[in-house]
Amino acid sequence: MAHLCEMNQIGHVASVKSVGKNLIVRIASNANYKNGDGAWVERTNWNEHTIFERQGGLLKWASESLKPGDLVLVRSTPFQTEWKRDGETHYGQTFAVNELSLLTAKSDKKEKPEETAKSRGRRSR
């Protein structure tokens, strides 16, 4: 019997940081909802996804290509981690990246109205 446990997230990259030989990609997704009074409540889900050293090609691409603000789709396998500190056992959750796709890159520069008009084949005034 096959089992599947997968976490899918579409959101914007908040940060990309190296931790040892691995890469952590922090992603924010909006999960807004209406409360009992009918008012919209903003809620953002923040998750950190880990790209491990053994995923060399993906790790290299992500570290060189992803920038804060980029919209991405990430599929990860969650698993529980455990470590001891000062004799006490602590638990955490790791999301190990299986797939990472850039959906829309955030533009680093804003186009001027003249450039936008020219790129669409129109003349600016």
Side-chain angles (χ1 to χ4, degrees), residues 9 16 19 23 28 32 34-35 38-39 44 51 63 69-71 82 90 96-97 101 103 115 117-120 124:
Q9 185 176 9
V16 178
V19 177
L23 196 69
N32 302 338
K34 278 190 178 181
N35 65 15
T44 303
I51 302 172
S63 65
D70 288 348
L71 183 65
E82 178 182 320
H90 297 268
V97 174
S101 302
L103 300 177
E115 291 173 348
K118 288 177 186 175
S119 67
R120 292 184 184 153
S124 60

Side-chain angles (χ1 to χ4, degrees), residues 7-20:
M7 196 272 206
N8 299 313
Q9 185 176 9
I10 295 175
H12 290 93
V13 173
S15 63
V16 178
K17 64 181 178 180
S18 293
V19 177

Side-chain angles (χ1 to χ4, degrees), residues 41-85:
V41 177
E42 283 190 36
R43 183 179 70 191
T44 303
N45 291 328
W46 297 89
N47 293 291
E48 291 184 337
H49 299 266
T50 304
I51 302 172
F52 291 98
E53 175 189 19
R54 66 180 177 270
Q55 299 169 285
L58 179 60
L59 189 142
K60 183 177 190 295
W61 173 81
S63 65
E64 293 174 356
S65 302
L66 294 181
K67 305 285 183 260
D70 288 348
L71 183 65
V72 296
L73 162 66
V74 63
R75 296 181 195 280
S76 297
T77 301
F79 62 91
Q80 186 175 19
T81 53
E82 178 182 320
W83 67 95
K84 291 197 183 278
R85 183 184 322 145

